[in-house]
Amino acid sequence: MKSTDGPDAPADTTLVLTGERTIPGLDIENYWFRRHEVVYRRLAPRCRGRDVLEAGCGEGYGADLIADVARRVIGLDYDDAAVAHVRDRYPRVEAIHGNLAELPLPDGAVDIVVNFQVIEHLWDQAQFIAECARVLRPGGLLMVSTPNRITFSPGRDTPINPFHTRELNAAELTELLVDGGFVMDGMFGVFHGPALREMDARHGGSIIDAQIARAVADAPWPAELLADVAAVTSGDFDILEAADGESPDSPDIDDSLDLVAIAVRP
């Protein structure tokens, strides 16, 4: 980062880990970062040569990854510190400040809107979907990922994560998109692959629960748990299409960790 020494030096744009967003480069955060990163890596090829808006770009690593293939990437966030950080660290991304309920773009401005691990933070999700339809060109894609309510906050009416306002299951996410005028192109789920299933077995059945237990108790991490979490890669996750009723080997979308929806603006 740039130095902050001296009266005329730029402000420090380093983001701190608060639990609201994931940040790359931290061992204890690596599992969550990789779980988010895999969606960017899997879907980035759809952005090749396109004008892309990431609505809720957070730290900016995903928008920068998309910039490897896209013609143009706009990174929008409501948080001033996040926007300053993206401008400082990721010059290929056009970082702008704005409200996701009133996207600061003209009608038909982009080919793709990316919204990964953000919609669960929004109070008016339907208004955001309407805004996505407005700024997309005909035939444009809206790509959304979000924690699966069934597995992320099991048996609860309110989210476990204090930064979430409303979590969704696959049926609810589909309904939200279709009611917003979109046509579904696919519904996918993020699952643990073989290496992560082995880690689950080593840590009492769930490496997720093992991490959460330490965070809630503010307790030291056992060396084995820290080593396993730090070793996770995006390739350790599988992204699989929802069962269609005809393929017996297809996974049940309700068992997924995160949902990944792709929808088309007619």
Side-chain angles (χ1 to χ4, degrees):
M1 289 296 169
K2 298 175 182 177
S3 170
T4 56
D5 296 332
D8 299 321
D12 182 7
T13 58
T14 301
L15 293 182
V16 297
L17 184 63
T18 65
E20 186 172 12
R21 66 173 66 88
T22 190
I23 295 175
L26 300 176
D27 283 356
I28 63 171
E29 183 68 8
N30 185 58
Y31 169 87
W32 299 102
F33 168 67
R34 300 301 180 186
R35 181 165 148 179
H36 293 184
E37 182 190 37
V38 65
V39 180
Y40 286 100
R41 293 199 176 278
R42 181 68 64 88
L43 297 187
R46 288 179 175 256
C47 300
R48 186 172 301 279
R50 304 293 188 90
D51 296 330
V52 180
L53 167 68
E54 181 170 17
C57 63
E59 195 275 343
Y61 68 88
D64 187 64
L65 190 155
I66 292 170
D68 285 340
V69 298
R71 177 169 54 194
R72 178 191 185 198
V73 179
I74 303 166
L76 172 70
D77 207 275
Y78 189 71
D79 183 70
D80 287 325
V83 173
H85 174 83
V86 175
R87 287 174 179 166
D88 183 69
R89 185 166 183 177
Y90 304 111
R92 298 188 299 177
V93 177
E94 300 174 32
I96 60 175
H97 176 270
N99 191 331
L100 270 65
E102 298 179 1
L103 297 174
L105 294 177
D107 296 357
V110 294
D111 302 301
I112 295 176
V113 175
V114 169
N115 183 250
F116 292 160
Q117 304 296 318
V118 173
I119 199 167
E120 66 276 4
H121 294 261
L122 304 182
W123 288 104
D124 194 342
Q125 296 172 343
Q127 172 63 20
F128 168 66
I129 297 301
E131 278 292 277
C132 291
R134 181 184 65 79
V135 303
L136 278 167
R137 296 165 186 151
L141 296 180
L142 172 58
M143 303 195 294
V144 178
S145 76
T146 189
N148 177 12
R149 175 174 61 79
I150 295 173
T151 59
F152 200 80
S153 298
R156 292 174 58 99
D157 294 327
T158 57
I160 291 174
N161 188 316
F163 297 104
H164 294 179
T165 60
R166 181 196 177 205
E167 294 170 356
L168 304 162
N169 63 27
E172 292 162 344
L173 178 56
T174 298
E175 181 180 23
L176 182 68
L177 294 170
V178 171
D179 286 352
F182 285 87
V183 176
M184 293 299 297
D185 184 66
M187 178 68 72
F188 305 81
V190 177
F191 297 84
H192 281 178
L196 278 165
R197 291 197 295 271
E198 290 179 5
M199 290 184 191
D200 284 332
R202 283 201 296 273
H203 298 284
S206 172
I207 194 170
I208 299 171
D209 290 347
Q211 294 176 81
I212 292 173
R214 268 67 188 184
V216 170
D218 194 22
W221 285 48
E224 184 183 28
L225 176 61
L226 182 58
D228 275 350
V229 168
V232 173
T233 71
S234 59
D236 293 328
F237 295 90
D238 293 332
I239 297 182
L240 304 172
E241 191 163 12
D244 56 12
E246 299 178 1
S247 303
D249 295 331
S250 296
D252 187 339
I253 194 68
D254 289 343
D255 293 333
S256 66
L257 301 169
D258 298 319
L259 304 169
V260 182
I262 302 174
V264 181
R265 181 201 183 280

